[in-house]
Structures are given as C-alpha cells and as structure tokens.
C-alpha cells in the first residue's frame, strides 16, 4: 500500500472513531427535539474529499473509492447537531443540559441559534428539523427552562 493509502485509511479509522462518539452523544441527548447543523467545529472535515479525488484521478482500486465514500458519510454524521431532552450533541460531542447557560435566536436568520455553554466559546447552530409543531423559541424555552413562554431566554 502507498503512503496515500495509509493516510486515507488512518483518516477513515479516525472518523469511524469520531462517528462512534457522535452516536454515543446522540444517545445521551435522549429524545430528539430539534436537529440541524453547526457553523464551525471540525475544520479538518474539509480534507476528507482529497483521498476520494486522488483515487478517482488515478483509478487504482475500488476499495479507495469505498473508503472515500465512507469518510464522507462519517464526516456528515459527525457534524450533525441534535437537541434532545437531556442535552445537545454537536460536532461529535455531548453537552449536558445543565451546561447550557443561555441561547439567543439570531435576528435576520431562519432557525439559527447561538448557545452559550459554561466554560466554552459560544457557538451557532442552524436547526432544520423539529419533532413537534411548536415554534423554535417555544421548544428552546421548554428545553432550557421547562416552560412554554416566549418571553425570551
């Protein structure tokens, strides 16, 4: 195997491990209330297409193509965001509900929320799916405060 093959395999194994952590984080989040994607996080995920591009340009083996596709699937799963009854799964890690101090719905955007977490930098999330017919602010208030008022966070 070539050096690039080892690099692609190492990246695949690393993303497989991070996918397992993301799966565990999603399980810890409990019943999913909202899901979407985050702004920022794993910048290294931008490199995952390179093994696939290299394989497609050299047409060496189908195994590389399969590994490249699996890397893309794993990267997509890791970068998903899930707000559950017990906390938030973001970029492969779990943040417990009691660690989330505050949220703010970003003006002029559709379903984009900024969270403030104890001891960490603020981060933005764009929610694209919800499991109830309630509005975004109502679901966030229920999650964080246990109430249904929309007076703000």
């Amino acid at each position: 195997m070539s050096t690039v093959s080892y690099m692609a395999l190492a990246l695949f194994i690393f993303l497989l491990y991070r996918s397992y952590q993301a799966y565990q984080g999603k399980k810890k989040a409990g019943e999913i209330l909202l899901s979407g994607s985050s702004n920022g996080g794993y910048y290294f995920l931008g490199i995952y297409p390179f093994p696939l591009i290299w394989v497609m340009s050299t047409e060496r083996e189908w195994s590389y193509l399969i590994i490249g596709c699996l890397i893309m699937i794993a990267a997509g799963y890791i970068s998903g965001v899930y707000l559950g009854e017990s906390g938030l799964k973001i970029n492969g890690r779990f943040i417990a509900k009691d660690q989330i101090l505050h949220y703010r719905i970003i003006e002029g955007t559709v379903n984009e929320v900024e969270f403030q977490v104890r001891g960490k930098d603020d981060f933005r999330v764009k929610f694209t799916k919800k499991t109830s017919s309630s509005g975004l602010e109502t679901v966030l208030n229920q999650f964080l405060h246990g109430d249904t008022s929309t007076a703000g966070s």
Side-chain angles (χ1 to χ4, degrees):
M1 280 178 44
S2 69
T3 304
V4 173
S5 302
Y6 285 118
M7 289 173 31
L9 186 60
L11 181 60
F12 172 70
I13 290 170
F14 177 74
L15 287 177
L16 190 63
Y17 169 72
R18 295 299 293 162
S19 294
Y20 175 75
Q21 287 182 323
Y23 172 75
Q24 293 297 328
K26 186 177 176 184
K27 276 180 45 178
K28 285 182 186 177
E31 185 179 338
I32 304 301
L33 306 171
L34 299 167
S35 63
S37 59
S38 70
N39 297 341
Y42 289 90
Y43 300 109
F44 74 88
L45 295 180
I47 66 170
Y48 68 83
F50 290 118
L52 180 62
I53 292 168
W54 177 78
V55 168
M56 292 173 77
S57 66
T58 61
E59 297 180 23
R60 288 192 174 198
E61 292 183 35
W62 283 99
S63 61
Y64 296 130
L65 183 61
I66 292 169
I67 288 174
C69 290
L70 291 173
I71 287 171
M72 286 191 292
I73 291 168
Y77 185 71
I78 292 169
S79 63
V81 173
Y82 300 95
L83 180 74
E85 292 178 336
S86 303
L88 182 69
K89 177 263 175 198
I90 181 167
N91 292 336
R93 68 173 195 247
F94 174 74
I95 300 170
K97 184 178 184 174
D98 61 350
Q99 296 296 309
I100 300 172
L101 303 173
H102 178 74
Y103 74 87
R104 179 175 68 94
I105 297 175
I106 307 300
E107 301 271 335
T109 64
V110 178
N111 297 334
E112 193 166 337
V113 179
E114 185 175 76
F115 286 97
Q116 182 181 16
V117 178
R118 184 175 291 128
K120 300 191 188 289
D121 292 335
D122 295 355
F123 58 88
R124 288 187 179 188
V125 172
K126 182 170 185 165
F127 291 112
T128 54
K129 296 179 185 173
K130 56 184 176 175
T131 57
S132 73
S133 61
S134 301
L136 177 66
E137 192 166 4
T138 303
V139 172
L140 289 169
N141 275 326
Q142 273 184 315
F143 167 74
L144 204 54
H145 304 294
D147 63 17
T148 57
S149 68
T150 56
S153 56

